[in-house]
């Protein structure tokens, strides 16, 4: 579930719609995302976005790390790494139990008067440095 916060933070997303993303990892990852929906999609500056992710985790995760990179029109603008257990514990408690999950998060998309393509790549590993997920997505930002 903590792994989803990075997707949620970057997948700023006109009615609930599936978020198109690509698994850049192996098919044997313990984290399986079955649904990633957003309202609205694609992202719109100055609007709140509600993102819902659901899936399953086949193992308990007691620790791990994430790497997230964000680009705008192909130019890297953000790179962030950290411990997944240092993320907001009120939304993403650690350890993360195995089993099914569903998480919803609403975030504000700032109004920066930008239009273009946002690319995101997120990689997360568990306490044994085993990859939980590698996900990539691209979204075209629209102005209001």
């Amino acid at each position: 579930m903590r792994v989803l916060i990075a997707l949620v933070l970057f997948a700023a997303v006109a009615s609930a719609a599936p978020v198109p993303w690509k698994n850049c990892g192996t098919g044997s990852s313990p984290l399986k995302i079955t649904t990633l929906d957003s309202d609205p999609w694609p992202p719109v500056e100055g609007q709140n976005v509600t993102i819902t992710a659901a899936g399953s985790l086949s193992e308990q995760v007691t620790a791990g790390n994430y790497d997230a990179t964000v680009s705008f029109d192909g130019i890297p603008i953000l790179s962030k790494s950290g411990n997944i257990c240092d993320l907001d514990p009120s939304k993403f408690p650690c350890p993360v139990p195995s089993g099914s999950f569903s998480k919803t998060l609403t975030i504000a998309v700032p109004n920066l008067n930008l239009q273009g393509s946002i690319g995101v790549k997120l990689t997360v590993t568990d306490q044994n440095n085993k990859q939980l997920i590698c996900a990539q997505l691209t979204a075209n930002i629209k102005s209001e």
Side-chain angles (χ1 to χ4, degrees):
M1 283 169 252
R2 289 175 164 272
V3 96
L4 298 178
I5 194 164
L7 283 174
V8 170
L9 289 175
F10 300 119
V13 248
S15 20
V19 175
W21 66 281
K22 175 182 152 191
N23 181 351
C24 52
T26 66
S28 63
S29 298
L31 177 66
K32 305 288 186 207
I33 296 176
T34 55
T35 304
L36 183 61
D37 290 334
S38 179
D39 184 15
W41 181 263
V44 179
E45 287 187 321
Q47 291 187 11
N48 284 345
V49 174
T50 300
I51 300 172
T52 302
S56 64
L57 183 61
S58 64
E59 66 178 43
Q60 178 175 327
V61 176
T62 58
N65 294 295
Y66 68 91
D67 276 314
T69 56
V70 181
S71 60
F72 181 74
D73 284 344
I75 300 168
I77 59 172
L78 175 70
S79 181
K80 186 161 177 126
S81 299
N83 183 317
I84 60 173
C85 291
D86 291 341
L87 297 171
D88 185 347
S90 69
K91 295 180 179 139
F92 301 94
C94 199
V96 181
S98 63
S100 297
F101 65 85
S102 180
K103 287 286 185 183
T104 299
L105 183 63
T106 299
I107 58 174
V109 178
N111 195 353
L112 301 174
N113 294 319
L114 294 176
Q115 290 191 39
S117 177
I118 295 283
V120 178
K121 182 176 180 182
L122 171 71
T123 305
V124 181
T125 57
D126 68 7
Q127 62 274 4
N128 300 314
N129 205 32
K130 180 178 178 183
Q131 188 178 84
L132 291 173
I133 192 167
C134 178
Q136 292 178 306
L137 67 91
T138 302
N140 291 316
I141 302 294
K142 297 191 315 186
S143 293
E144 275 190 296

